[in-house]
Amino acid sequence: MHHNQTLADAGLQPHQFQGGDLAVSSPIDGAEIGQLVQTRLEDIPKVLDRSEAAFATWRQTPAPRRGELVRLLGEELRAAKATLGAVVTLEAGKITSEGLGEVQEMIDICDFAVGLSRQLYGLTIASERPGHRMMETWHPLGPTLVITAFNFPVAVWSWNTALALVCGNPVIWKPSEKSPLTALATMAAFHRALERFGDAPEGLVQLVIGGADLGAALVDSPRVPLVSATGSTRMGRQVAPKVAQRFGRSILELGGNNAMIVAPSADLDMAVRAIVFSAVGTAGQRCTSLRRLIVHHSLREALVEKLKAAYASLPIGDPRAEGTLVGPLIDHESLARMHAALDQARTEGGIVHGGEQVEGVEGGAYARPAIVEMPGQSDIVCAETFAPILYVMEYDSLDQAIALQNGVPQGLSSCIFTRDLREAETFLSAAGSDCGIANVNIGPSGAEIGGAFGGEKETGGGRESGSDAWKAYMRRATNTINYSDELPLAQGVRFDI
């Protein structure tokens, strides 16, 4: 399988992934690919010390100079795209093009952040007092904790880190225990950028490897003003109250239960292509994966038949093999959860097509993507199962479809396929989708870095990546400057002494 060669090509030396107490396996074949030394809990105060010391220097470094480090990181990622993408495939099980696409996403956010480093801005605001100027300034916030999940082991780190760095913040990265080797390979690229940069403070970006106890210690610490955490809603329920209790900030990217509405005027062939990629890409393990298909009753039968035919042709297997479109689930526990969800769907009246474990693929947890025709939006449909399961329901009116779309606890991504302008605009209006992402004639997954990424309700409300998401990584100060020789008070208050 040449696992060690893949890691060596990405700049990892044997001592970095051998002899530790955290065993890491590849979902491709279940083989162990590393044994990492975990960060000790008693070392967390030292990690925080280094981060705070780095902050004292980095916050005074001009933002365009901070952007230069991110530019160099982008160059290193370009040079390492093929090798780092191969590690993503090895450790997360993504097909080759998706592994490469994740590294490209890192490159893209670096480009965005470099431009941002010359565009951090505040407003000048009209003052009611003569001879006064009011404005706002934005300042670095402090050490930023980034907790990432296995399904996007490096892209989400880059969304946060590229912005945090140009905003003046050091970063502490805790990757998933299921994908720490990808993190090590990414840090190797970052350290090459640091060497070229020349004068960055020590401890600017630190990696901590281990379990929930490390994350809890950092989440609880008042020395970490910002926590950006990606994972399950269950994880978010643990993180958010702890950070709020100490009046810290959270950027939470949690569960998604994303839907597509297929209207009578939809281009069905285009919809089918969008459905298949969105529902089975990354083996259904994207937070933006399509999980619910809400189809007009006049189209349901024809669309289900088209989807069954498309699903039957999907190449499933080793994600490194040419032509493979569906790789493995991350582990056999995920496969068991998928089968449990399908069993529950059957008890709730669902008709299941597919979902069987794929035989003949040694070691990995491979499953055929499932299409489940449901009589309504039952309990299992409202729950997110991180697997390639697509629940199909029908609707009569657009209002009914939107109510189904919004009738789940999660609120990440959504879309409608229609050629009716009124339907499209209604879906995007205040009376339409309640999600953070709402698309027309494009699936719910595959977001670009230029827009802010995140969702509402149990998705957590956070925003990362593009647009003005950078403001979450800074603190705002409102400033008033009196350049007159008077001292008028606001609101006409008089206080003469």
Side-chain angles (χ1 to χ4, degrees):
M1 287 293 183
H2 309 298
H3 293 339
N4 286 353
Q5 187 59 53
T6 298
L7 299 174
D9 290 344
L12 297 183
Q13 302 303 315
H15 69 85
Q16 294 180 275
F17 56 91
Q18 293 178 4
D21 54 354
L22 175 63
V24 184
S25 299
S26 172
I28 295 174
D29 56 6
E32 185 176 286
I33 53 175
Q35 295 177 339
L36 300 186
V37 176
Q38 300 186 68
T39 304
R40 298 183 305 171
L41 189 60
E42 55 265 34
D43 288 338
I44 292 300
K46 297 176 184 176
V47 170
L48 292 169
D49 289 344
R50 287 192 292 268
S51 195
E52 288 182 330
F55 179 54
T57 300
W58 194 242
R59 67 185 175 185
Q60 298 186 72
T61 303
R65 175 63 179 158
R66 301 193 296 247
E68 172 64 8
L69 174 58
V70 176
R71 187 188 71 80
L72 293 172
L73 174 59
E75 286 189 354
E76 294 296 335
L77 293 173
R78 281 182 170 87
K81 180 176 177 179
T83 55
L84 185 53
V87 180
V88 173
T89 293
L90 176 66
E91 196 169 41
K94 293 186 175 186
I95 63 173
T96 297
S97 67
E98 289 193 81
L100 294 172
E102 181 161 353
V103 182
Q104 185 61 49
E105 199 163 348
M106 301 172 74
I107 295 166
D108 292 345
I109 196 65
C110 285
D111 288 350
F112 178 91
V114 172
L116 176 64
S117 70
R118 293 183 180 271
Q119 298 181 72
L120 300 174
Y121 59 86
L123 300 174
T124 298
I125 305 161
S127 173
E128 67 183 66
R129 289 171 284 187
H132 287 60
R133 177 164 65 90
M134 185 162 53
M135 65 180 187
E136 64 180 24
T137 51
W138 292 83
H139 300 294
L141 185 62
T144 299
L145 171 62
V146 180
I147 300 173
T148 56
F150 76 86
N151 59 326
F152 278 87
V154 289
V156 172
W157 170 81
S158 69
W159 292 355
N160 286 276
T161 299
L163 267 61
L165 288 175
V166 299
C167 289
N169 302 332
V171 171
I172 301 168
W173 182 12
K174 187 204 169 298
S176 167
E177 303 97 298
K178 297 179 181 179
S179 54
L181 291 170
T182 315
L184 282 173
T186 301
M187 288 298 293
F190 180 73
H191 285 134
R192 291 194 294 271
L194 278 177
E195 290 175 5
R196 295 172 61 192
F197 184 76
D199 61 350
E202 182 184 359
L204 185 59
V205 177
Q206 298 178 81
L207 182 65
V208 297
I209 293 175
D213 57 339
L214 298 178
L218 290 163
V219 163
D220 286 340
S221 175
R223 301 168 70 184
V224 181
L226 177 62
V227 175
S228 178
T230 300
S232 66
T233 298
R234 179 186 58 79
M235 180 271 286
R237 292 191 195 282
Q238 296 172 343
V239 169
K242 292 181 178 181
V243 178
Q245 188 174 31
R246 60 177 178 81
F247 300 104
R249 294 189 197 175
S250 295
I251 301 173
L252 298 177
E253 300 291 352
L254 309 175
N257 196 350
N258 315 294
M260 176 191 293
I261 297 172
V262 182
S265 66
D267 181 329
L268 274 192
D269 288 337
M270 188 164 70
V272 167
R273 294 197 302 273
I275 291 165
V276 175
F277 169 72
S278 301
V280 311
T282 323
Q285 297 172 117
R286 290 177 177 235
C287 49
T288 54
S289 288
L290 178 62
R291 310 204 181 280
R292 296 177 296 135
L293 188 60
I294 303 167
V295 189
H296 191 265
H297 66 84
S298 64
L299 301 177
R300 173 172 173 163
E301 185 175 343
L303 183 55
V304 169
E305 289 305 311
K306 285 178 178 286
L307 288 173
K308 286 163 63 177
Y311 272 45
S313 68
L314 289 172
I316 304 169
D318 190 323
R320 299 165 299 184
E322 184 73 25
T324 296
L325 292 180
V326 182
L329 291 165
I330 190 65
D331 52 33
H332 285 275
E333 289 79 6
S334 293
L335 181 60
R337 284 191 290 271
M338 177 180 177
H339 287 155
L342 293 175
D343 288 343
Q344 184 175 341
R346 291 185 182 95
T347 66
E348 294 175 2
I351 301 172
V352 178
H353 310 282
E356 307 89 359
Q357 183 170 353
V358 175
E359 302 299 333
V361 185
E362 197 69 32
Y366 293 83
R368 296 194 178 280
I371 300 168
V372 186
E373 298 183 74
M374 295 297 295
Q377 193 150 269
S378 63
D379 289 345
I380 192 60
V381 180
C382 293
E384 180 191 33
T385 303
F386 225 53
I389 301 175
L390 179 64
Y391 299 107
V392 183
M393 298 163 286
E394 68 178 40
Y395 75 93
D396 295 315
S397 69
L398 182 62
D399 286 347
Q400 181 190 12
I402 291 174
L404 283 170
Q405 141 68 38
N406 294 344
V408 295
Q410 310 86 358
L412 179 52
S413 191
S414 60
C415 61
I416 186 171
F417 268 72
T418 180
R419 286 180 283 198
D420 184 316
L421 179 62
R422 288 179 175 175
E423 288 186 328
E425 291 293 342
T426 298
F427 182 74
L428 299 179
S429 74
S433 169
D434 64 359
C435 294
I437 299 169
N439 297 331
V440 175
N441 294 329
I442 187 173
S445 62
E448 299 178 33
I449 58 91
F453 181 90
E456 303 301 324
K457 301 188 295 188
E458 287 191 1
T459 302
R463 293 298 185 273
E464 299 168 326
S465 195
S467 185
D468 65 348
W470 62 270
K471 293 181 177 179
Y473 301 83
M474 305 196 82
R475 61 178 179 86
R476 184 196 321 236
T478 301
N479 316 125
T480 304
I481 302 166
N482 180 3
Y483 58 91
S484 74
D485 56 4
E486 301 292 336
L487 193 63
L489 301 177
Q491 293 84 46
V493 173
R494 299 183 64 85
F495 195 83
D496 297 326
I497 57 173

